[in-house]
Every structure is written in C-alpha cells, then in structure tokens.
Amino acid sequence: MVLAQLALISFLLNGMAEAFLPSASKSSTTTHSCKIISTQYYNHHHVDPPSTSTSSPTHTALKMISASELLYQDQQEAMLRRAIREEELLSEKKQPKELIAPKLKAKPPKSGTGFANTAAMDITTRLAAEQCKVLKRDGVLRVNNVLSAEVAERLRQHLLDQQKVAEEETRKDPRASQMYYGVEQARKNRCDLHLSLRRGGIQTSSSDDDDDNDNETTADQGHVVADALQEILGVDGTLRSVYENLVSTEGEFYELAGIITNPGSSRQMIHPDLPFQKTAPLYVVFLALQDVTEEMGPTSFLLKTHTDKAIKIFEGGGDKDEQLRGADCRLATLKQGDAALFDARILHAGGANDAEEGATRIMFNFSFRNPKVSSYLGYKGSIMPGYVGAMTLGDIGGALVKYSEGEQDPFAQYGDGILN
C-alpha cells in the first residue's frame, strides 16, 4: 500500500516536470501571488500537495509522508532551476523591456449613424474598443491610472490586515485555509489572499463577541473594496467599458484576491493560466497597490503567446528553449494604481522578489469569464468559495449603483464568501 502511494506521488511529480505545467496558473505574479511554482500543478489540476502533517496515527503513514515530502521538495528544487533557466533564456538574444501603456485615440464615430447611435458610442466606449484591439493582438494591455493613489493605499493596508485575520483563523483551524487562500498559505513568501465583499472584510472569530467594537471599526475603515471597484467597474469606471467590450455584462466574476509576495519569494516557471481554447475564456487584472520595481519581481509577459501555435510549441510541439530566446518579453513594472489586463492564455511568470533589494509587492487581482465559453476552463479562480458563480459584471455594476446612492454594504446579499 505504501509503495503504491509513493509510486502514485512519484508519477504525478514526474509528469509535472515533463510537462512544465502546460496548463498551470497566474501568477502572478502575480503575478496572478501566493501562486508559487511549486504548487501550480496541484492547484490547477486539483490535486492536493503531499501532506506535511505529523499527526498520522501510524508509523507506516509517517514513513509515507516523509518520503512523499522528500519527493515534493526535490521536484520543487527542479522547478526552481527550470524557472531560473527560463529567465536566462529570455535575456540571451535581447533584454526584456518594460510593458508600456499604448498611446491610443478613440476613433471618431462613423458618419451617418444618427445622433442616438453617436451618443451611445461615446469617447470612452470608442477608446475601450481600441484598447481591446491591442489586448487581443498582444495578449496583455497596460492601463495607467486605473485606481487613485489614495484608494490604492487604503486597499493595500486592508489586504495586509485581512492577511493577519486569515493567518489567525487558519492557525485555529488549518482547514480554513481553503476559504482564505488560493493556494496553500504555508508556501514561503507568496500567497493568493481571497477578499470578502462585505464592508470591513472578514473579522476574526474572537472579535465576534464585541459587536459594538466591530461596527465602530468597520465604520472607520469604510468599504475600501467597494471604493476600489467603484473607481474601476462603476458606471464611469476606468475599466468598465473595456470589460463590457470583452465579456459583456453577462461575464462571470471569476476572481477576487490580493496577490502578496514578500522578499525572498522565488521566480515562477513560465506558464499560461489555463489550457488553450480557441475563444479567449478569461480576462485577468493585476493592479499594483504600490510601485513595482524590478527587484520586487514584476510579472513577465511574453507578447503574442496566447495563440494556438505558441502554446503548442511551449507544450512540446517545438523547441521551447528557442521559443523563449526569441520571445518579446515585457516586465510589468507598474506604478501605484496602474494595471496589467491580460488574456489568461498568455505565457507569463511572476519574478523573484529579491531578499535584500526587494519589498512586499501586493497586487489587486480580479477577473471575468467570457460567457461565450461554457466549457470547464481547467483553472480554479482565486475567489472566496461562497462567491463562485454568484455574480456577473452586471451584478457588480448594479451593486455599485446602490453604493453610489448611499447603500453602505451593497454586496451584503452575497454574504462574506465563507461557506459554513
């Protein structure tokens, strides 16, 4: 029995190495995080990593755990070596450049369309159409000044506060990690932290005894997540027209998280977030809540690799190393409030956050699913379990209208996202 279990673990790990995560995640960085190279296979193929628990009741189980852990650590080291080699390949022929926001102008409306149609196609909608053309061509689009510095700073602090709550709750009950994190929270220096849409976020269970204090704290904090979403996806939001163009108001709200990487986090292996599909199934945002320098491990995006041809080469249909040598690699060294919006099929990787020169990098992460793609995506989004499949872009917009009209907790009907 033990040998069979070890053989299964070895098979999974060896298969992961040979494939180099062809359908593994975001990451980012975030990229798309606490998405670490060592956990991508397990999380995106819905396989639990080998347990590190020492509470097994039998000596045989302890031996099995120890052996599986050694196999897992060996594979983790092999993946890190590959990630470092990929970084070298991307610089052999030319140095990666910064991802720059394109200078675009809205095309004038067509003549003879009538006043009503011209009014509907306002300048924001026409500019969004030009932005979407770049996104669909390159696989990624930088948009500057998506979120104000004031709200970005507040949201960053909120994420740090929510991280402390998640750490406390998972210390009490390790099973709660699946509620709070996109991947196992024990991964060193990197995590995806799920966000609640309730005003004030998630409170610790110990604070529930003092409702008056909770209410006072919540009032002082305001609703920073709603404030951020209002600036981005509200009626006049900076990305509202872009997302309506890409997924319509029927696009499913697929992810809502904070990607946090601390100094010392390792570089990810290059990967797409999901298996290739002909129609773009998911559009993802990584929004910087502070300036992102090269030392902090920005996400690397390989332009125009969201195509069937590029993915086939990457997955073994050609010379992968030569593909990386010739890739047009762009670094998402974003300023506070800037965002990278990308097609989840594009090849990308979160960089290493330098242990000495780096700093904590926090990205606001959300995405919407294309309603034209109804099949399974092969990728489980980072979102509170209670929000899975619960909202669309239209629903988010409707709640934000209520927020603008004075509703203090506009997403209350969807709960805090925690499944009891």
Side-chain angles (χ1 to χ4, degrees), residues 110-148:
K110 294 180 181 179
S111 59
T113 56
F115 175 80
N117 287 337
T118 301
M121 281 290 286
D122 61 20
I123 188 170
T124 301
T125 304
R126 287 183 278 121
L127 178 59
E130 298 306 307
Q131 291 173 309
C132 290
K133 289 179 182 178
V134 174
L135 172 57
K136 292 177 180 180
R137 180 194 71 198
D138 294 342
V140 62
L141 171 74
R142 176 171 176 165
V143 185
N144 293 338
N145 303 312
V146 172
L147 189 65
S148 67

